Every structure is written in structure tokens, then in C-alpha cells.
Amino acid sequence: MKTRINPEDVFRIVDKHNNSQGAIISILEDVQATYNYLPEAALRIVASRTSHSLVDLFGVATFYRSFSLEPRGKHIASVCMGTACHVRGSRQVLKSFEDNLRVKAGGTSTDGEFSLSTVNCVGACALGPVAVVDGDYYRNVKDGDVSGILDRASRIDGALKMTDDERVFAVSVSCPSCNRSLLNDEHLLDGHPMIRVTASFGRKHGWIRLSSLYGDYRIQSEYAIPKGVVVHFFCPRCHAELRSGRLCPDCDAPTILLLVRGGGTIQLCSRSGCKQHFLDLGG
Amino acid sequence: MITLRINGVTAHVENGTTLLEAAEFLGFPIPTLCHMDGLSPYGACRLCVVEIGEVGQSRLVSACTYPAEEGLVVRTASSRVVSNRKMILELLLASCPQSKTIQDLAAAHEVRQQRFRQEYEDCILCGRCVRMCEEQMMAKAIGFRGRGENRSVGTPFDVKSEVCRLCGACMQVCPVCELRCTFTEPEKAICGGCANLSPPCVDMNEYEDMMCYMNPCVACEIVRRDGELTAKEIDDVVV
Ligand code: SF4
Ligand code: SF4
Ligand code: SF4
Ligand code: FES
Ligand code: FES
């Protein structure tokens, strides 16, 4: 599964780091955060836009284990192979993961859902064998438990989902008026589609993309938005204003209303720089 | 000016001179492998070990990277240096026995045995080729990849490099690849393809061990098909 690379996204990452020397790791981290791995095409773009040669980028990318040159699955499963887990039978557990996913440790299942890896001790030896799936720890795992663990991880895929390490949700949102999805698959952040809406403030009117990770405030916007300005958000499909009746408890600006897939709403303060937001899954 | 003593002889050298240069200036030979005039010091092979400091508190350093210091006492051929040097050569022999350079060095330093598991690596990671390509050829076509036991030298993504201009300098300076393209059996050695430009050297399949960065090989005009494909795919991806 090859990810489509939008060169503009890579340019933006490079520009953000101002082409400073020594920014090589930060640039690669941002590229990986965007695509979930380091696509060759993206590395070539970075090399052409910075003073870093492809050789150096590749050297760093292959040196650190946290970088991956292969697309990783939506879910990350790792089985502890540390001494304590090993003597308690983690080999069997790993084998069961491998059989269930039909992939060897270090690989990604053909459907792109799971990446399987091993780790050497996650520091929970007394609970071994330990498996970590999407940031959730499973203790005393037996080979028979594995399919259940994998099922559970796949199910959390719906409205809310834990990402691999950040422990934040990715929310799938839609417009409260027309109910169509606001996610944009062409622009990924941390491997998740971004929320794309239309924003207007002052005389400016353009697109804005918000991270779909709950609690993450990263945005990309056509126009720089000055701090403190109240922005109006519109659905790019039906052009209705995404507005709730409530005011922000911190700064009294109107709040934006988004529908969460699977039930509930999310409300964000419309003032740039204000981080007030609440998730209401009751509705 | 810095004054130091090497093997009991006083030397006056410019600031920034390495111990290797100072010893050479006085005529004390120090064997080297990864060092090369014209390339930046790298200190990878440790063959140039020398002992510094007073007896009893001395330590071993690599002469090619250690700068001369005021009042430093250096020994280039003490028994400690010699035994360490021999061990380094023995280890080099264990990994790359087919290298003529290493064989000659081992013979010159009376290394008569090799007690480790025999391997046939085609690279000792001395970094000569990498520095040559970057510092003299200004190409940066090859570099180190990976780390630990997976460290290797080559082009990014193992595909034909766009910036390599097939100058051959990397192979020229390699202490190992003189006998590189070795078919599949390392002992048989000597590719000879380069010396015999037509007809083309050998079938690509015979070249499992090929380590030549001239991709495609100049002599045999091997084209790495998988590599080409990847390069094309990239064009498809970057719109
Ligand atoms: S042949 Fe290519 S890789 Fe080797 S030194 Fe010349 S430019 Fe560099
Ligand atoms: S290929 Fe040759 S020159 Fe390059 S690092 Fe390996 S041994 Fe040294
Ligand atoms: S160019 Fe071809 S024949 Fe010459 S050393 Fe390289 S692989 Fe062997
Ligand atoms: S060995 Fe598995 S958690 Fe320590
Ligand atoms: S010559 Fe000094 S470390 Fe190789």
C-alpha cells in the first residue's frame, strides 16, 4: 500500500524547520507523523529542499528504530520477548500473533491493519507474557487470548480509537447540518485524516485543516490566523456554519459544533489560541 | 608550536597536528587502514593504536585522530601497542580474509594465526569510500546505513544513485573490494570483469556478492531491474 505524497505537505514540514542544520531528526519525525512512515518520495523531496543529502537522511532513518521506511499498519502490536516473558512462554504468544495475522514479527499484515513487532522488556515482567496493542497492555497472555485481543483492537476502530503511542483519540466527525464527513483522506496527520472545513475571519475566507486527534491543536490553514481572532467555520459541503448555541466558558466566543460518528458531539472554542473544547458522547 | 616526545625523541609540531603525522615526520611507522591522505580522519579501524601517557597510567588512542598535546609522551611500538595491533589484525582477518591489503598488513606484523570464527565480509566499514565520495568527489552518493551488525555501506534504498557519476573512486580506495565481485564463493575471488570490458562479465545471478557501487556495472552493464522499477514508481508517486 503506497501512500500518496502531497509535495506541499512535505514542503511545509521543511519550511517549518527553517532548513536549520541538525533539524534532520525533527524533520524526519514530522514526516513520519504525517505518513506514519518515511516514504521514499518524501525523503527525496526533503533532500532536494534542504542541505541534507539523501545519503544522510537515509543513514539517520535507518539508524533509529523509531523510524520506519515501510508503511506501518493502522494498529501496532508488540509482544515482549524479554527474559521474564520469554520463560513464561512469550514465544508461543508471538507465534499465535504471527499465525493470526499471517505475518512475521517485524512485518505488516497484507490488509495493512496490523504491524507486528517484538520488544525486549516493557518493564512489566511480573505480568508476563505481556503484549502491547495500540498502547493497551495485556497481561498473562496465552496463545488462545490472541484472537480476542486482535478483535478488540479492530473494534475500537469506530468512533474513537487510541493511537499507537500518544494515547489520544482520533475522532471521526461530520457536519451537524448535512451529516457528511468532514475528514479529508488526502491530508494525514499522525496517520489520521485531518478535519477540513472552511474558515473565515476578517476579510479572509479559505480552508483550514484541524488535527482529528482529540486534544491535539495542530492546524494547517490557508491564511495565518492571528491569535485572539474569532473564526467562523463552515461545512465545505453544505456551507452551513458549524456553530453551537453555547459560548466558550473561558473567553465567551461562540463555539463550533461537530458531530462525532457513533454518537455525540464535540465543541471547540472558535477563538484562535483558546484551547477550550469539550467532548459530549451522551447525545 | 607544540612539543611532545615520541618514543623518546622530542618533536616540535604545529598546533592541530595528529600523532600520526608527528610520528611520520620523525620516521616512526604506524600502520593505518581507514586513514587516507586527503580524507578527513575517521578513526574506524583502530589499527593505528599508540600508547600515550606515563607508564602505569597510559592509555591507547588512535594516532590518526588524536591531536598532539604539549608535553605528551607517546609510544608507537610498546609491547602493549604491538599486541593490540596484532589482535586488531587478527579480527580483520577473521572478517575479510580475502583482502590483499589486510593479508599484507597481517604478514608484515607477524600475525600467524586467526582464532575466531571465519567470515567472508565484503566490507570492514572503514568509511574510506564514503569519505572519498563525499570529500573528493563531492557526490555523496553512498553512505552508511543501519547500525550495529546491520550497518552497511551503499546507496539510499539500494537503488541506482542519481548523483553517482561512476567515477570508480570508491572502489579505488577500498581496502577490501579489490577482490570484490567474487561470484558466489568468496574464496574464488577476483571478478576481473572490469579488466575485460567486452564481452560482459557474468550473469547477474552470479553476482549475489557484488558490492560494486557502479550500478549498473560498467563492465557487465548489469541493470538492477528491481532498482529501476522503484525509481520509476517514485516518479509515479511524486506528481
Ligand atoms: S563511483 Fe559513485 S559512489 Fe563511487 S566515489 Fe564516484 S560518485 Fe561516489
Ligand atoms: S566498502 Fe571498502 S572502503 Fe567502503 S567502508 Fe567498506 S571496506 Fe571501507
Ligand atoms: S564494474 Fe562489474 S566487473 Fe567491475 S568490479 Fe563492478 S561488478 Fe565487477
Ligand atoms: S520481560 Fe516482558 S515485561 Fe519484562
Ligand atoms: S588508521 Fe587510525 S583508526 Fe584507522
Side-chain angles (χ1 to χ4, degrees):
Chain A
M1 184 191 69
K2 279 250 165 24
T3 311
R4 284 189 68 81
I5 307 293
N6 183 342
E8 294 291 327
D9 290 342
V10 184
F11 295 163
R12 198 172 302 114
I13 292 172
V14 170
D15 293 345
K16 182 176 130 200
H17 292 282
N18 234 334
N19 196 13
S20 59
Q21 208 60 38
I24 202 160
I25 292 184
S26 329
I27 293 177
L28 293 185
E29 275 175 345
D30 283 1
V31 172
Q32 177 150 308
T34 307
Y35 299 106
N36 200 15
Y37 77 110
L38 298 174
E40 176 170 347
L43 291 193
R44 289 185 187 273
I45 295 172
V46 174
S48 68
R49 296 276 288 209
T50 63
S51 55
H52 304 297
S53 64
L54 188 61
V55 158
D56 290 343
L57 295 170
F58 192 78
V60 172
T62 54
F63 188 87
Y64 294 101
R65 275 206 44 190
S66 56
F67 290 127
S68 170
L69 291 166
E70 297 296 327
R72 292 182 301 174
K74 261 198 255 163
H75 307 278
I76 312 278
S78 32
V79 181
C80 180
M81 285 287 150
T83 316
C85 290
H86 182 97
V87 298
R88 290 169 188 226
S90 61
R91 281 176 75 103
Q92 265 321 105
V93 174
L94 177 65
K95 173 138 195 330
S96 179
F97 270 98
E98 292 182 334
D99 292 348
N100 271 284
L101 297 172
R102 269 178 257 120
V103 63
K104 287 272 164 231
T108 298
S109 60
T110 34
D111 57 6
E113 287 291 314
F114 281 91
S115 282
L116 180 61
S117 63
T118 58
V119 286
N120 291 320
C121 192
V122 294
C125 306
L127 308 177
V130 176
V132 187
V133 181
D134 291 346
D136 289 340
Y137 285 65
Y138 295 89
R139 53 156 80 187
N140 298 325
V141 180
K142 288 170 220 55
D143 34 345
D145 304 342
V146 172
S147 64
I149 293 176
L150 294 173
D151 279 353
R152 174 166 184 270
S154 312
R155 255 184 291 118
I156 309 186
D157 212 11
L160 301 178
K161 167 177 153 205
M162 305 283 283
T163 63
D164 47 353
D165 39 21
E166 307 235 318
R167 311 258 174 123
V168 286
F169 310 113
V171 282
S172 179
V173 294
S174 54
C175 165
S177 302
C178 69
N179 207 10
R180 280 182 287 192
S181 170
L182 297 172
L183 295 185
N184 185 316
D185 291 330
E186 273 170 40
H187 297 277
L188 302 182
L189 192 64
D190 291 1
H192 299 281
M194 296 189 79
I195 302 170
R196 186 200 182 282
V197 291
T198 310
S200 101
F201 60 95
R203 294 170 157 225
K204 299 268 201 291
H205 192 75
W207 56 260
I208 184 168
R209 290 195 290 265
L210 320 170
S211 167
S212 64
L213 298 175
Y214 187 63
D216 178 1
Y217 307 103
R218 282 174 293 176
I219 59 168
Q220 296 170 355
S221 162
E222 189 168 357
Y223 302 105
I225 304 174
K227 256 204 161 40
V229 166
V230 172
V231 183
H232 298 274
F233 290 79
F234 302 88
C235 169
R237 313 280 191 107
C238 70
H239 308 292
E241 184 166 6
L242 306 166
R243 202 175 159 158
S244 79
R246 270 155 101 172
L247 294 183
C248 169
D250 279 359
C251 70
D252 277 347
T255 60
I256 308 153
L257 180 72
L258 304 169
L259 233 49
V260 177
R261 210 176 87 202
T265 61
I266 195 166
Q267 288 176 45
L268 317 164
C269 177
S270 62
R271 193 184 298 279
S272 118
C274 174
K275 294 189 169 169
Q276 187 57 247
H277 60 275
F278 23 92
L279 180 66
D280 178 2
L281 290 181
Chain B
M1 278 308 228
I2 288 175
T3 308
L4 74 168
R5 284 173 77 77
I6 303 183
N7 297 346
V9 179
T10 304
H12 305 282
V13 296
E14 292 282 335
N15 210 344
T17 310
T18 63
L19 296 186
L20 178 66
E21 288 160 341
E24 271 175 356
F25 176 70
L26 292 180
F28 294 119
I30 296 178
T32 60
L33 188 54
C34 69
H35 172 81
M36 195 176 173
D37 285 339
L39 301 183
S40 54
Y42 192 55
C45 73
R46 317 313 284 180
L47 191 59
C48 63
V49 282
V50 294
E51 197 176 359
I52 58 169
E54 299 299 338
V55 180
Q57 334 176 349
S58 67
R59 59 194 186 99
L60 297 173
V61 296
S62 55
C64 69
T65 52
Y66 203 90
E69 288 168 0
E70 184 61 38
L72 197 68
V73 179
V74 184
R75 286 173 297 282
T76 67
S78 62
S79 59
R80 186 173 173 201
V81 168
V82 170
S83 70
N84 275 281
R85 199 173 275 158
K86 286 175 99 165
M87 177 57 83
I88 291 163
L89 281 166
E90 198 175 330
L91 287 163
L92 286 168
L93 274 183
S95 56
C96 280
Q98 72 276 36
S99 156
K100 180 83 166 59
T101 310
I102 293 173
Q103 290 168 6
D104 288 349
L105 279 165
H109 291 85
E110 306 193 328
V111 177
R112 302 268 184 258
Q113 54 181 353
Q114 195 292 91
R115 292 161 292 181
F116 301 98
R117 190 179 71 223
Q118 188 62 65
E119 284 173 9
Y120 294 95
E121 298 290 345
D122 35 29
C123 175
I124 55 169
L125 302 175
C126 70
R128 271 193 185 211
C129 54
V130 174
R131 283 172 290 150
M132 187 64 173
C133 187
E134 172 175 358
E135 296 170 14
Q136 294 294 338
M137 298 307 154
M138 311 296 171
K140 279 201 149 205
I142 51 176
F144 285 105
R145 295 109 30 112
R147 66 164 168 193
E149 60 172 357
N150 296 322
R151 198 158 163 83
S152 68
V153 170
T155 58
F157 300 99
D158 261 328
V159 299
K160 182 176 173 357
S161 164
E162 284 127 43
V163 287
C164 168
R165 40 186 125 81
L166 303 183
C167 66
C170 49
M171 294 158 64
Q172 176 82 27
V173 298
C174 176
V176 175
C177 76
E178 348 166 82
L179 301 181
R180 252 182 189 174
C181 314
T182 54
F183 305 145
T184 42
E185 293 145 279
E187 294 95 325
K188 291 234 174 94
I190 305 197
C191 158
C194 286
N196 180 16
L197 285 167
S198 67
C201 11
V202 189
D203 207 22
M204 184 176 177
N205 303 338
E206 306 274 348
Y207 269 159
E208 281 280 295
D209 265 8
M210 187 175 96
M211 249 195 78
C212 171
Y213 303 118
M214 298 222 194
N215 189 351
C217 154
V218 188
C220 40
E221 293 186 347
I222 293 171
V223 181
R224 274 195 53 148
R225 276 184 220 98
D226 52 341
E228 292 237 315
L229 199 87
T230 320
K232 190 175 169 306
E233 270 175 22
I234 293 155
D235 287 337
D236 292 346
V237 176
V238 192
V239 273

